């Protein structure tokens, strides 16, 4: 992470032709630079993305300046919207950059990226569950055992304390009907398995034949599957919050 975070921050903003700026990756940030013909500008980006849909850019120029501002519209978002000082703009196209070119002074741009549940398909037709820009994993109880070393640089093993071999009950044609989206406050460490900002609640059934092989989950059964086990309430959390991960699920088609 000592390398990841600095590189992530470096990719948030880019200078572009016509002496403008592009918001490439979204995160809370402040960019302090010059645009146009050397006019000083500060853009304060306020957001809880990727856990929230709204991204606000507060633009402050030392003097009025004409320059383009490009906003990346993710390919997964088919109904994004943009407002400039409360005025709706032409509908953006998914998987493209939207260019706002005007004279800026002290302005506010609001980009909204509505999120919905989507399914991607993987090995043995297993289902990956995505919500907005996030991939989700089964929430699994964790038991941590120290192997050696001294904190905070010790080596640990993590063992599951709850079942993991579930098949999702899934409506593949209308996946949003198979999940309840629960949003919570974004804490200081958002990728915390005990307090994630977004939880997807679903129904699953155990697959007794899906067992460990060499202390890892065995080959995922080919979907759709069947199970005589009773349905259970299960939770999915963002992939980054899960330390033990089942992220490609067999499914029972509803």
């Amino acid at each position: 992470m000592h390398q990841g975070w600095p590189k992530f921050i470096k990719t948030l903003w880019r200078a572009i032709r016509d002496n403008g700026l592009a918001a490439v990756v979204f995160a809370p940030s402040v960019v302090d630079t010059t645009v146009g013909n050397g006019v000083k500008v500060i853009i304060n980006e306020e957001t809880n993305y990727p856990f929230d849909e709204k991204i606000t850019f507060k633009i402050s120029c030392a003097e009025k300046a004409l320059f383009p501002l490009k906003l990346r519209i993710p390919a997964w978002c088919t109904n994004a919207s943009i407002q400039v000082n409360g005025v709706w703009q032409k509908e953006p196209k998914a998987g493209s950059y939207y260019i706002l070119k005007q004279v800026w002074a002290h302005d506010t741009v609001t980009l909204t990226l509505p999120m919905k549940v989507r399914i991607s398909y993987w090995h043995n037709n297993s289902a990956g569950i995505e919500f907005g820009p996030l991939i989700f994993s089964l929430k699994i109880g964790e038991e941590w055992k120290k192997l050696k070393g001294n904190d905070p640089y010790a080596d640990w093993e993590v063992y599951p304390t709850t079942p993991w071999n579930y098949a999702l009950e899934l409506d593949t044609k209308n996946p949003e009907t198979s999940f309840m989206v629960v949003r919570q406050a974004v804490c200081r460490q958002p990728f915390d398995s005990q307090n994630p900002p977004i939880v997807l609640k679903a129904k699953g059934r155990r697959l007794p034949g899906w067992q460990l092989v060499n202390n890892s989950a065995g080959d995922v059964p080919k979907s759709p599957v069947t199970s005589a086990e009773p349905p259970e309430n299960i939770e999915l959390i963002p992939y980054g919050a899960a330390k033990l991960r089942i992220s490609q699920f067999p499914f029972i088609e509803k």
Side-chain angles (χ1 to χ4, degrees):
M1 297 308 293
H2 65 288
Q3 294 187 35
W5 285 121
K7 291 178 180 178
F8 173 72
I9 293 169
K10 285 176 62 177
T11 62
L12 297 181
W13 290 89
R14 286 287 184 264
I16 59 174
R17 294 178 181 178
D18 298 331
N19 296 315
L21 292 170
V24 180
V25 182
F26 303 122
S29 60
V30 177
V31 59
D32 185 341
T33 186
T34 57
V35 293
N37 294 321
V39 176
K40 180 179 174 64
V41 62
I42 296 175
I43 302 180
N44 191 342
E45 181 178 349
E46 300 176 352
T47 185
N48 278 327
Y49 186 91
F51 309 108
D52 190 46
E53 301 171 341
K54 183 180 290 187
I55 305 159
T56 301
F57 303 91
K58 294 184 177 180
I59 303 168
S60 180
C61 300
E63 59 184 88
K64 291 183 178 180
L66 172 65
F67 65 91
L69 175 64
K70 294 178 66 173
L71 305 177
R72 184 179 62 85
I73 310 301
W76 55 262
C77 188
T78 57
N79 55 343
S81 63
I82 297 174
Q83 296 180 63
V84 178
N85 298 326
V87 178
W88 295 98
Q89 305 299 298
K90 182 179 177 181
E91 184 175 343
K93 181 181 178 181
S96 69
Y97 278 87
Y98 191 92
I99 302 176
L100 296 164
K101 187 171 184 179
Q102 66 177 63
V103 175
W104 304 95
H106 297 280
D107 304 280
T108 300
V109 176
T110 302
L111 171 63
T112 304
L113 302 173
M115 301 177 184
K116 63 180 182 180
V117 176
R118 307 183 314 282
I119 302 173
S120 57
Y121 293 96
W122 302 85
H123 176 63
N124 278 344
N125 202 38
S126 57
I129 307 303
E130 303 175 19
F131 182 72
L134 295 171
I135 298 170
F136 278 73
S137 302
L138 179 68
K139 184 177 182 179
I140 301 173
E142 304 165 3
E143 180 186 8
W144 291 72
K145 295 182 178 179
K146 184 185 288 188
L147 288 176
K148 61 181 180 179
N150 299 316
D151 293 339
Y153 309 109
D155 293 334
W156 296 79
E157 290 181 333
V158 190
Y159 293 88
T161 61
T162 55
W164 56 268
N165 54 345
Y166 287 100
L168 290 173
E169 290 190 352
L170 193 58
D171 183 343
T172 56
K173 294 182 179 180
N174 300 287
E176 290 189 287
T177 64
S178 301
F179 299 90
M180 181 173 68
V181 180
V182 179
R183 295 179 182 271
Q184 305 175 134
V186 179
C187 59
R188 184 176 181 275
Q189 171 49 277
F191 292 103
D192 178 1
S193 62
Q194 300 307 309
N195 191 29
I198 301 175
V199 175
L200 302 183
K201 295 190 175 184
K203 294 286 187 181
R205 294 176 185 256
R206 296 280 302 278
L207 297 179
W210 188 22
Q211 295 292 320
L212 292 176
V213 176
N214 296 326
N215 290 323
S216 295
D219 198 25
V220 60
K222 188 171 183 178
S223 293
V225 298
T226 59
S227 174
E229 299 297 311
E232 299 179 41
N233 295 320
I234 60 174
E235 294 184 352
L236 277 59
I237 61 177
Y239 180 92
K243 305 303 182 290
L244 298 168
R245 300 180 178 121
I246 297 293
S247 303
Q248 297 173 9
F249 296 87
F251 61 88
I252 301 166
E253 196 154 26
K254 293 173 66 175

